[in-house]
Amino acid sequence: MGTTPSRYDDLSKNVYLEKFCGKKSILPNDPFWDTFLSYNMRPPVTRNDQIELDSRLDSSCQQLLANNLTTGNLGTLIQVAFTRANSLLEPVQNQKIISAWQVYNALFAVRCILKYLMETVGEEEMIKHIEAPQLPVQSQSSSPYRLEDFFEALLDIITNVPLCELTYVVHLEAINCLLVLLSVQLFSQTAAEYSSIYRIAMHSFSSECAPTIVCTLLHNFVQQEHAPPGLLTQQAGGSIVFSIAAGLWNVITMGIGSSLKNVQVTSNGTSEDEERKRDTETPLASQSLLLLLVLTNHCTATQNPYRNALFSFVDMQG
């Protein structure tokens, strides 16, 4: 990570990643973040890519796990991510490529860390790392509920940031981050109703936006917007944000429950290659549908605002 392109092989020796995972707190306004978030790295597209990335990040994540409760650097990264995302609320013509690039990089880094914590220490400890105060403790204006703020900021990106070529990657990564958070159910034996993350999704301010969220996700799926050229594979002379993960569910969850993807022919006769082609050409549509399914098919024994919104959905143009 840093201003030069990063390869998986270089991660363990990256000085910026070492500083982030180290024993010193980094303030939200530190110039370090400009450099740390200015990296080019091809995210994982296949399961093997994800396994390789996980292995390269393992030592750094272990170091962060040991130090973060003292430094609070993960929480600061999350704060930096949704603070900078505010700049993307401007009209499309005012969008800046550097802003979108760094917001995407911040969300991708957060997603990688949260996925590691979810797998390694579980939901309760992961939340402690997200909420860990920075030392020295910052001003009283800092929210004591960072996870809830982050969840709402991700929903805000999906519903309010204008969708264009520059922000396509940000929308995709915001959805991926939500899917990682909601994947807590894969690592727990208890019902989703008892999960802190699902309580935030179903019963906090987030639930008040359920109709808008459902409408946006449905719109993304119906539109089937293609990823900008060069987005999923590196192309010479392409955009600086040149290579974004296809967002396949088995990649996000490190292959858990991915046996269906290993079947050569799907139930409707579509080959796996054709299904993957669809997912990589229109990843935002695929991930939007997946997020909608996750939101509407959990916490069904209680009031589920997303399920209610979906079932009461009508075509206002009809």
Side-chain angles (χ1 to χ4, degrees), residues 206-226:
S206 305
S207 65
E208 299 178 12
C209 306
T212 302
I213 295 163
V214 169
C215 184
T216 301
L217 295 176
L218 283 172
H219 178 78
N220 288 346
F221 178 69
V222 171
Q223 291 298 110
Q224 293 288 311
E225 292 282 353
H226 278 64

Side-chain angles (χ1 to χ4, degrees), residues 176-242:
N176 286 343
C177 282
L178 286 170
L179 286 169
V180 166
L181 287 171
L182 295 170
S183 72
V184 62
Q185 190 62 22
L186 295 173
F187 306 96
S188 174
Q189 299 297 319
T190 59
E193 286 85 351
Y194 301 102
S195 161
S196 297
I197 292 172
Y198 275 91
R199 282 200 294 268
I200 290 173
M202 300 296 165
H203 303 297
S204 70
F205 172 79
S206 305
S207 65
E208 299 178 12
C209 306
T212 302
I213 295 163
V214 169
C215 184
T216 301
L217 295 176
L218 283 172
H219 178 78
N220 288 346
F221 178 69
V222 171
Q223 291 298 110
Q224 293 288 311
E225 292 282 353
H226 278 64
L231 191 64
L232 303 177
T233 56
Q234 184 174 355
Q235 292 183 349
S239 166
I240 196 168
V241 191
F242 60 78

